[in-house]
Amino acid sequence: LIGIIWYTVARYCTRLFSRQSSFPSGFYGESIIFGWLERTNQRSVVWASRCLKTKLKYNSQVLDIGFGAGLSFDTMIRLLGESFESHCHENKGVEKAEYKVYGIENSEQMIRYCTEKYASEIENKVLVLEKGDALSMSYPNESFDVITVSNFIHLVKDKNAALKEWVWIILPKPFSLHKKN
């Protein structure tokens, strides 16, 4: 009897974690996203940011697909801001930020969370958040200099279609980072 109860509880927890990590909602979704995933992804975001630093210019357009809790936003905006300030120092008279970070996410809860967390960045027009599907984005070809995807690709059912979609909006300058944990 204890074995059956243990099996049932373990199966329920596994399904709950799987469902909540894919489509977070309510208390369990927040616990998973804002607790476990945020802590474990922070190192990967820092690593990727160091690698991307040479790719980010003062006028870069960056897209974060499936941004979740927005872990990369702080780092990307800071790096772009540093590059822009350096450019302004070298070229007097440039006052308006030319860089922008876009985020596309399917979860209303994550969009609400990031809208509150990054209200000043949104107001200053350096961050744009959109609800959308990663497989059918409305951006024109060659819209972005850098695309970031962190802890999201495993949730996409048709990975080949997703990668084809993403390549078109970044061509002719594709660049990829992959880190095995």
Side-chain angles (χ1 to χ4, degrees), residues 24-26 30 34 67-68 105-119 122 129 131:
S25 64
E30 287 183 13
F34 303 119
F67 59 81
E105 172 65 53
N106 201 25
S107 167
E108 288 285 347
Q109 184 177 4
M110 296 294 101
I111 293 171
R112 272 195 309 276
Y113 172 77
C114 288
T115 300
E116 291 172 14
K117 184 176 179 182
Y118 297 103
I122 293 169
L129 303 179
K131 180 172 178 19

Side-chain angles (χ1 to χ4, degrees), residues 26-140:
F27 172 75
Y28 295 114
E30 287 183 13
S31 300
I32 290 169
I33 293 297
F34 303 119
W36 179 75
L37 287 178
E38 195 165 310
R39 281 193 302 268
T40 57
N41 283 341
Q42 193 62 43
R43 279 180 271 148
S44 294
V45 168
V46 169
W47 173 83
S49 299
R50 284 189 198 131
C51 295
L52 288 173
K53 190 170 185 174
T54 60
K55 297 286 180 191
L56 296 175
K57 306 294 182 225
Y58 72 94
N59 60 351
S60 290
Q61 304 296 300
V62 178
L63 174 63
D64 190 352
I65 300 173
F67 59 81
L71 287 177
S72 66
F73 292 155
D74 287 327
T75 308
M76 292 298 167
I77 291 170
R78 181 180 51 77
L79 290 173
L80 287 165
E82 289 171 4
S83 178
F84 179 72
E85 286 179 18
S86 172
H87 175 73
C88 289
H89 182 69
E90 295 168 6
N91 301 290
K92 303 291 184 208
V94 178
E95 296 177 12
K96 185 181 174 206
E98 298 176 32
Y99 62 89
K100 197 170 280 191
V101 176
Y102 293 81
I104 187 166
E105 172 65 53
N106 201 25
S107 167
E108 288 285 347
Q109 184 177 4
M110 296 294 101
I111 293 171
R112 272 195 309 276
Y113 172 77
C114 288
T115 300
E116 291 172 14
K117 184 176 179 182
Y118 297 103
S120 65
E121 288 84 353
I122 293 169
E123 186 178 317
N124 293 331
K125 298 186 186 328
V126 295
L127 179 62
V128 177
L129 303 179
E130 297 179 23
K131 180 172 178 19
D133 183 2
L135 289 174
S136 59
M137 295 184 283
S138 60
Y139 302 112

